[in-house]
Amino acid sequence: MGTDSLYNQKLIKAYPFVSDILSEQMEPYNGQDDGRLDNLLIIRVQKADADLMFKRAHNLGLGNSDSCAFSTIRQHEMHIGKRGEYMFAIDNSEKIINRVDWPRDREEQRKADQLCVYASDIFWSQRHERIYSGSIIEKVKYLVWVTVEAWYTDNKYTDDKYTGNERGYRSRFGELLSTSIRITIYQEPEQGFEKLLKESNLYESLVLDTRLLQRGLMMRDVDIITMRGMLGEMCITFQDEVYFNGMKEMREKVEFRSASGKFGAVRVLCAEMCGCDFVTLRDVDSQITFRVYSDFTHMHVVGQTGTLPQIRNLVKTVVRMWNQNTEARNAFKTNEDLYVV
């Protein structure tokens, strides 16, 4: 839907600041006057919650970044994309009073003297390295999260003269095909933004990924180091209660040395690769992968996505059902599709 759809027109009339946001430059979108917004505009409205306070952007293809987005949707099957995410604060007069731009590429991230930028940074008018000042939280009526995506032809498939990627994926961006903007308007919660921020817990709401944990370790961030330790404890629980409690033996007996099973809502995938066993636990919202070398007696975490409570639930569910549900345990069987030489 574009800005001229009846549904969007109704929301834009109810929230006039949306028009102001659409006039902002937000790479890869350069403002409403560039004529590219006739493709897709999605507007949602919901209450702000604790997860929003520690939300982070996932920018791709911006600045000098060598990253890009891919899609399995047929519409963009042979295309590559850019993504930029932004946060705006709106006051009682429904005017933009602050904006947060996340680092566009790794170089900007490296220069930033802080672990990462959270959505809650929007409540400070001045942010320099690790020093925050000028709180505006009492003035904020709405928070607005904006995700901009642009899809391009991939020179790898369309340009006969394309010879390589000396500039990484940047050399592969061809003709602009479409632009989409997704706007989520977060209304002030009943307790207000100030109390919401105080009640929010980093250990419950921060989505963990490998890059964040690595950067946190290098910067000696106490919270991240603590959370790494919690993930390590989950790994020990899984190896003792599941992997070395029958799973390893079952996996070694199957023909393809790989197996999978369903434990409630959690899918478990186990496969051998390069002399190591990889075990992944995942559901619709989160996943964690453990690895163990042949003949080693301990596992370690090699990747994860999700909050600590989500990942903890994965491990607890599999541990409980592996030890208490014979039917689920016996359903853990060979999976030819997971076989890796």
Side-chain angles (χ1 to χ4, degrees), residues 229-294:
M230 292 179 175
L231 292 173
E233 287 294 327
M234 296 180 205
C235 180
I236 293 173
T237 299
F238 179 81
Q239 75 171 25
D240 292 345
E241 298 292 333
V242 179
Y243 185 76
F244 289 119
N245 187 28
M247 179 174 285
K248 181 177 186 292
E249 182 179 0
M250 293 177 67
R251 201 275 301 154
E252 289 177 341
K253 288 181 179 179
V254 298
E255 179 181 359
F256 294 96
R257 298 180 67 82
S258 60
S260 65
K262 194 79 178 292
F263 298 83
V266 182
R267 182 79 168 172
V268 178
L269 311 171
C270 180
E272 181 187 24
M273 181 173 64
C274 301
C276 301
D277 269 5
F278 291 84
V279 184
T280 297
L281 285 58
R282 70 185 186 194
D283 60 13
V284 294
D285 298 315
S286 55
Q287 66 88 22
I288 185 168
T289 298
F290 306 115
R291 179 177 65 186
V292 58
Y293 292 98
S294 299

Side-chain angles (χ1 to χ4, degrees), residues 109-128:
Q109 178 69 68
R110 185 185 64 81
K111 291 180 179 179
D113 186 25
Q114 63 184 105
L115 175 63
C116 58
V117 177
Y118 299 126
S120 56
D121 288 10
I122 194 76
F123 295 129
W124 304 93
S125 61
Q126 299 179 34
R127 304 179 301 276
H128 178 66

Side-chain angles (χ1 to χ4, degrees), residues 19 21 28 56 59 119 127 170 178 215 219 246 257 302 314:
S19 295
I21 291 174
R56 298 175 293 129
N59 294 333
R127 304 179 301 276
R170 282 179 289 155
S178 64
R215 183 170 173 80
M219 297 188 69
R257 298 180 67 82
V302 293
L314 294 177

Side-chain angles (χ1 to χ4, degrees), residues 30-98:
N30 294 320
Q32 202 168 24
D33 59 351
D34 71 355
R36 288 192 281 152
L37 193 60
D38 57 348
N39 295 283
L40 181 65
L41 173 64
I42 297 176
I43 304 174
R44 297 172 51 200
V45 182
Q46 65 185 72
K47 289 284 188 181
D49 57 16
D51 290 344
L52 175 63
M53 298 296 98
F54 299 105
K55 189 173 182 179
R56 298 175 293 129
H58 295 281
N59 294 333
L60 290 170
L62 306 186
N64 293 319
S65 173
D66 286 330
S67 63
C68 68
F70 295 96
S71 176
T72 56
I73 300 175
R74 178 173 296 182
Q75 179 185 0
H76 297 302
E77 191 173 3
M78 305 290 285
H79 305 152
I80 58 175
K82 297 181 180 182
R83 182 197 304 134
E85 297 190 292
Y86 306 86
M87 174 70 94
F88 295 87
I90 311 298
D91 66 6
N92 288 316
S93 300
E94 303 202 345
K95 300 295 183 182
I96 299 173
I97 57 173
N98 204 5

